[in-house]
Amino acid sequence: SLPANADRAFFGCILGAGGPGFILTEDQAQELLEKGPKWRDVVRPLLVGEDLTQRPDHSPGRWVIDFGFKTLEEAREYPEALEIVRELVKPARDQVSRESYRRNWWRFAEPIRGMRQALADLSRYIACPALTSGRGGFCWVDSWAIATGQATVFAFDDDYSMGILSSAIHEHWARARSSTFRTDFRYTPSSAFATLVWPQPDEGARAAVADAARGMIERRDELC
């Protein structure tokens, strides 16, 4: 693993036992968001693998209550959301063997602190399906959206990084160093990304890669 690649690539969050109880309908999400701007902190678009492989614009197709690493006292500032989780998630959490999951029933089972910290100052990030039978399909995601473990998240917001991650060089490297599931390719950040040696181009070449990445995304959007 290379130090320069640390804290840049992550699997998304794992909702865990009672996970469906965190999911909101469109109407529920909008009703909660209408309560005020601060509700955007806990009512967020949810990105899953199917969004990246089946939705033409790769946008999140679900909404979720996400308390992140908030304490229970902090979660009580959003009473309607907390009550939904208390009713639909807590009963399942009360039955699991891991004590931390039972104690922190209002949180995702694995909220992934490192990923949240890495994305905190970004307006967008790069994601690809964690498991795919085809090419990685790297795409831009608004940082408001929270990804599940069905997605691999990359803490970059620049076009040059999109170009490198979308390149054939990265694909061949990742396939050689990642695992498979049946016939599918499972992108593994710890071996495929952490070990990737990035090119160090001059300013002109870097700009060319960024331009190519923007063109690729624009053309893909046109075709989709």
Side-chain angles (χ1 to χ4, degrees), residues 47-122:
L47 184 76
V48 303
E50 291 179 358
D51 297 328
L52 297 172
T53 59
Q54 298 182 19
R55 291 174 67 87
D57 62 356
H58 312 294
S59 63
R62 298 167 177 81
W63 292 90
V64 70
I65 297 171
D66 173 24
F67 287 115
F69 284 89
K70 293 184 183 299
T71 65
L72 183 56
E73 290 71 22
E74 291 170 332
R76 288 193 178 112
E77 296 179 15
Y78 309 87
E80 292 87 349
L82 184 62
E83 186 56 33
I84 291 172
V85 176
R86 187 188 304 276
E87 179 181 348
L88 300 180
V89 177
K90 190 175 185 299
R93 287 293 181 84
D94 288 341
Q95 304 302 314
V96 301
S97 59
R98 184 174 294 188
E99 193 271 339
S100 62
Y101 291 173
R102 297 196 306 272
R103 184 178 66 248
N104 299 313
W105 53 267
W106 65 95
R107 300 175 181 170
F108 296 164
E110 300 294 340
I112 316 298
R113 187 183 299 274
M115 179 187 70
R116 294 169 186 270
Q117 292 173 339
L119 301 179
D121 296 327
L122 303 183

Side-chain angles (χ1 to χ4, degrees), residues 142-159:
D142 187 285
S143 60
W144 184 26
I146 188 74
T148 70
Q150 298 173 10
T152 305
V153 170
F154 301 87
F156 297 98
D157 61 357
D158 63 289
D159 293 308

